[in-house]
Short mmCIF file of all heavy atoms in Angstrom, two decimals:
data_model
loop_
_atom_site.label_atom_id
_atom_site.label_comp_id
_atom_site.label_asym_id
_atom_site.label_seq_id
_atom_site.Cartn_x
_atom_site.Cartn_y
_atom_site.Cartn_z
N MET A 986 36.97 -44.59 -70.92
CA MET A 986 37.20 -45.48 -69.78
C MET A 986 38.15 -46.61 -70.18
O MET A 986 37.84 -47.35 -71.10
CB MET A 986 35.84 -46.07 -69.35
CG MET A 986 35.90 -46.74 -68.02
SD MET A 986 34.30 -47.46 -67.59
CE MET A 986 33.24 -46.03 -67.54
N PRO A 987 39.30 -46.73 -69.54
CA PRO A 987 40.24 -47.78 -69.92
C PRO A 987 39.74 -49.17 -69.55
O PRO A 987 38.76 -49.33 -68.82
CB PRO A 987 41.50 -47.42 -69.16
CG PRO A 987 41.08 -46.53 -68.07
CD PRO A 987 39.82 -45.88 -68.47
N SER A 988 40.44 -50.16 -70.00
CA SER A 988 39.94 -51.53 -69.91
C SER A 988 39.95 -52.11 -68.52
O SER A 988 39.10 -52.89 -68.16
CB SER A 988 40.79 -52.42 -70.79
OG SER A 988 42.06 -52.58 -70.19
N GLY A 989 40.96 -51.78 -67.75
CA GLY A 989 41.04 -52.38 -66.43
C GLY A 989 41.46 -53.83 -66.47
O GLY A 989 41.37 -54.52 -65.46
N GLU A 992 44.04 -55.39 -63.92
CA GLU A 992 43.70 -55.59 -62.52
C GLU A 992 42.87 -56.86 -62.38
O GLU A 992 42.33 -57.37 -63.35
CB GLU A 992 42.89 -54.41 -61.99
CG GLU A 992 43.27 -53.07 -62.55
CD GLU A 992 44.36 -52.38 -61.76
OE1 GLU A 992 44.59 -52.79 -60.61
OE2 GLU A 992 44.97 -51.46 -62.29
N ILE A 1193 34.62 -54.07 -71.83
CA ILE A 1193 35.05 -53.66 -70.50
C ILE A 1193 34.09 -54.21 -69.43
O ILE A 1193 32.93 -54.50 -69.71
CB ILE A 1193 35.22 -52.12 -70.37
CG1 ILE A 1193 33.92 -51.39 -70.69
CG2 ILE A 1193 36.35 -51.63 -71.24
CD1 ILE A 1193 33.99 -49.91 -70.36
N LEU A 1194 34.63 -54.30 -68.22
CA LEU A 1194 33.92 -54.98 -67.14
C LEU A 1194 32.50 -54.45 -66.86
O LEU A 1194 31.58 -55.25 -66.69
CB LEU A 1194 34.79 -54.95 -65.89
CG LEU A 1194 34.41 -55.90 -64.78
CD1 LEU A 1194 34.41 -57.34 -65.23
CD2 LEU A 1194 35.37 -55.73 -63.60
N PRO A 1195 32.29 -53.13 -66.79
CA PRO A 1195 30.92 -52.66 -66.50
C PRO A 1195 29.92 -53.16 -67.54
O PRO A 1195 28.77 -53.48 -67.22
CB PRO A 1195 31.03 -51.13 -66.55
CG PRO A 1195 32.47 -50.84 -66.38
CD PRO A 1195 33.24 -52.01 -66.92
N SER A 1256 28.16 -45.57 -66.14
CA SER A 1256 28.82 -44.93 -64.99
C SER A 1256 27.83 -44.50 -63.93
O SER A 1256 28.12 -44.55 -62.74
CB SER A 1256 29.60 -43.69 -65.39
OG SER A 1256 30.57 -44.00 -66.29
N ALA A 1288 40.19 -39.20 -59.67
CA ALA A 1288 40.69 -40.47 -59.14
C ALA A 1288 40.27 -41.59 -60.08
O ALA A 1288 39.09 -41.87 -60.24
CB ALA A 1288 40.13 -40.70 -57.73
N GLU A 1289 41.27 -42.18 -60.71
CA GLU A 1289 40.99 -43.24 -61.68
C GLU A 1289 41.55 -44.55 -61.13
O GLU A 1289 42.72 -44.61 -60.77
CB GLU A 1289 41.66 -42.87 -63.00
CG GLU A 1289 41.30 -43.81 -64.10
CD GLU A 1289 41.42 -43.13 -65.47
OE1 GLU A 1289 40.54 -42.33 -65.81
OE2 GLU A 1289 42.40 -43.41 -66.15
N CYS A 1290 40.72 -45.56 -61.06
CA CYS A 1290 41.15 -46.78 -60.37
C CYS A 1290 42.11 -47.64 -61.18
O CYS A 1290 42.84 -48.44 -60.63
CB CYS A 1290 39.95 -47.58 -59.92
SG CYS A 1290 39.01 -46.71 -58.67
N CYS A 1291 42.08 -47.53 -62.50
CA CYS A 1291 43.02 -48.33 -63.29
C CYS A 1291 44.35 -47.60 -63.40
O CYS A 1291 44.38 -46.38 -63.50
CB CYS A 1291 42.50 -48.54 -64.70
SG CYS A 1291 41.18 -49.73 -64.76
N THR A 1292 45.41 -48.37 -63.42
CA THR A 1292 46.71 -47.77 -63.73
C THR A 1292 47.01 -48.22 -65.15
O THR A 1292 47.02 -49.39 -65.44
CB THR A 1292 47.80 -48.32 -62.80
OG1 THR A 1292 47.63 -49.72 -62.73
CG2 THR A 1292 47.69 -47.74 -61.40
N HIS A 1293 47.17 -47.30 -66.04
CA HIS A 1293 47.41 -47.69 -67.43
C HIS A 1293 48.14 -46.57 -68.13
O HIS A 1293 48.13 -45.43 -67.69
CB HIS A 1293 46.08 -48.00 -68.14
CG HIS A 1293 45.18 -46.81 -68.21
ND1 HIS A 1293 45.13 -45.99 -69.29
CD2 HIS A 1293 44.34 -46.27 -67.29
CE1 HIS A 1293 44.28 -45.01 -69.04
NE2 HIS A 1293 43.80 -45.16 -67.84
N ILE A 1300 39.27 -40.37 -70.92
CA ILE A 1300 38.19 -39.62 -70.26
C ILE A 1300 38.69 -38.89 -69.01
O ILE A 1300 38.36 -37.74 -68.78
CB ILE A 1300 36.98 -40.55 -69.99
CG1 ILE A 1300 35.78 -39.77 -69.51
CG2 ILE A 1300 37.29 -41.65 -69.04
CD1 ILE A 1300 34.49 -40.56 -69.64
N GLN A 1339 35.54 -39.23 -59.20
CA GLN A 1339 35.96 -40.64 -59.14
C GLN A 1339 35.51 -41.36 -60.44
O GLN A 1339 34.44 -41.07 -60.96
CB GLN A 1339 35.28 -41.26 -57.89
CG GLN A 1339 35.35 -42.74 -57.76
CD GLN A 1339 36.77 -43.24 -57.54
OE1 GLN A 1339 37.43 -42.83 -56.60
NE2 GLN A 1339 37.23 -44.11 -58.41
N CYS A 1340 36.32 -42.30 -60.92
CA CYS A 1340 35.89 -43.09 -62.09
C CYS A 1340 34.80 -44.08 -61.65
O CYS A 1340 34.43 -44.13 -60.48
CB CYS A 1340 37.06 -43.84 -62.71
SG CYS A 1340 37.56 -45.31 -61.79
N GLY A 1341 34.30 -44.86 -62.56
CA GLY A 1341 33.23 -45.83 -62.24
C GLY A 1341 33.65 -46.89 -61.24
O GLY A 1341 32.81 -47.60 -60.69
N ALA A 1342 34.94 -47.02 -61.01
CA ALA A 1342 35.49 -47.92 -59.98
C ALA A 1342 35.04 -49.37 -60.15
O ALA A 1342 34.87 -50.08 -59.17
CB ALA A 1342 35.15 -47.41 -58.57
N CYS A 1343 34.89 -49.79 -61.41
CA CYS A 1343 34.39 -51.16 -61.61
C CYS A 1343 35.39 -52.20 -61.12
O CYS A 1343 35.03 -53.33 -60.86
CB CYS A 1343 34.04 -51.39 -63.07
SG CYS A 1343 35.44 -51.26 -64.16
N MET A 1344 36.66 -51.82 -61.01
CA MET A 1344 37.66 -52.80 -60.58
C MET A 1344 37.76 -52.93 -59.06
O MET A 1344 38.48 -53.78 -58.57
CB MET A 1344 39.05 -52.42 -61.11
CG MET A 1344 39.13 -52.25 -62.61
SD MET A 1344 38.47 -53.66 -63.51
CE MET A 1344 39.59 -54.94 -63.01
N PHE A 1345 37.09 -52.06 -58.34
CA PHE A 1345 37.18 -52.12 -56.88
C PHE A 1345 35.84 -52.47 -56.26
O PHE A 1345 34.79 -52.28 -56.87
CB PHE A 1345 37.66 -50.78 -56.32
CG PHE A 1345 39.13 -50.57 -56.54
CD1 PHE A 1345 39.60 -49.36 -56.98
CD2 PHE A 1345 40.03 -51.59 -56.30
CE1 PHE A 1345 40.96 -49.17 -57.19
CE2 PHE A 1345 41.39 -51.41 -56.50
CZ PHE A 1345 41.86 -50.19 -56.95
N TYR A 1367 32.53 -39.96 -62.83
CA TYR A 1367 32.62 -39.59 -64.25
C TYR A 1367 31.23 -39.43 -64.90
O TYR A 1367 30.95 -38.42 -65.54
CB TYR A 1367 33.38 -40.66 -65.05
CG TYR A 1367 34.87 -40.69 -64.86
CD1 TYR A 1367 35.51 -39.92 -63.90
CD2 TYR A 1367 35.66 -41.52 -65.67
CE1 TYR A 1367 36.89 -39.98 -63.74
CE2 TYR A 1367 37.02 -41.58 -65.52
CZ TYR A 1367 37.64 -40.82 -64.56
OH TYR A 1367 38.99 -40.89 -64.41
S1 LIG B 2798 38.21 -49.03 -62.71
FE1 LIG B 2798 37.67 -46.98 -63.36
S2 LIG B 2798 39.13 -46.46 -64.96
FE2 LIG B 2798 39.19 -48.68 -64.70
S3 LIG B 2798 37.75 -49.47 -66.25
FE3 LIG B 2798 36.65 -49.27 -64.30
S4 LIG B 2798 35.72 -47.26 -64.39
FE4 LIG B 2798 37.31 -47.31 -65.97
#
Side-chain angles (χ1 to χ4, degrees):
M986 193 182 299
S988 72
E992 325 271 343
I1193 58 171
L1194 196 58
S1256 300
E1289 187 154 284
C1290 294
C1291 285
T1292 46
H1293 62 95
I1300 189 162
Q1339 169 67 57
C1340 77
C1343 63
M1344 304 308 297
F1345 285 135
Y1367 285 8

